Amino acid sequence: MRNIVFFIFQLLILIAIYTGSNFIVRQTSLPVPGNVLGMILLFLCLTTGIVKLKYIEKAAEFLIKHLSLFFIPYAVGLMTYGKLIQTSGWELLLMIAGSTVIGLVVTSGITQYLSSKETQKHGRSNSI
């Protein structure tokens, strides 16, 4: 019973961050989606220690485990855009592939930069 209450508490923390970020976006008219701002706020709360990882870990693992279920409405919604996909399918595919490659390149570049910075910080070398 204690685990269930703790899980619900963790889920409520995540919902509060999400709801709060949507509220901030609506009130300030920021040109950022509320869920993106929520991820930024969650990251800041985790890095500053306002929210400890153990406070949200189980609920986050549960949500990530069932992430594919959240895409079902979008996949069904795509069926209504059959004509658009027929006329502009290649352009859409090119944009999706291009943005994916750009995202991967930027992410790998940042990861390599931070990894080399961490290596320099601890005085280790990558050579064998």
Side-chain angles (χ1 to χ4, degrees):
M1 184 65 161
R2 182 173 183 244
N3 288 339
I4 294 171
V5 172
F6 194 61
F7 176 80
I8 291 172
F9 173 73
Q10 291 181 358
L11 203 54
L12 286 174
I13 290 173
L14 293 173
I15 290 170
I17 292 172
Y18 170 74
T19 305
S21 64
N22 280 328
F23 178 77
I24 291 169
V25 167
R26 274 194 314 273
Q27 295 302 315
T28 61
S29 300
L30 286 173
V32 177
N35 53 356
V36 173
L37 181 63
M39 292 298 290
I40 293 168
L41 289 176
L42 179 60
F43 174 75
L44 291 174
C45 287
L46 286 169
T47 55
T48 58
I50 294 171
V51 174
K52 304 280 189 224
L53 182 60
K54 66 181 179 180
Y55 295 161
I56 61 165
E57 190 169 24
K58 295 295 180 192
E61 285 176 2
F62 175 80
L63 291 173
I64 290 172
K65 182 178 172 184
H66 296 90
L67 186 64
S68 61
L69 295 176
F70 297 118
F71 290 103
I72 291 173
Y74 295 110
V76 171
L78 277 177
M79 292 179 189
T80 62
Y81 292 103
K83 204 65 154 161
L84 175 67
I85 293 172
Q86 282 179 343
T87 59
S88 304
W90 287 107
E91 292 90 353
L92 292 170
L93 185 62
L94 184 63
M95 287 190 303
I96 291 169
S99 63
T100 301
V101 168
I102 290 170
L104 288 172
V105 168
V106 169
T107 302
S108 68
I110 291 171
T111 303
Q112 286 187 351
Y113 171 76
L114 292 175
S115 177
S116 68
K117 202 171 184 182
E118 184 71 18
T119 302
Q120 291 173 356
K121 181 179 174 184
H122 292 293
R124 295 185 223 143
S125 69
N126 290 336
S127 60
I128 298 177

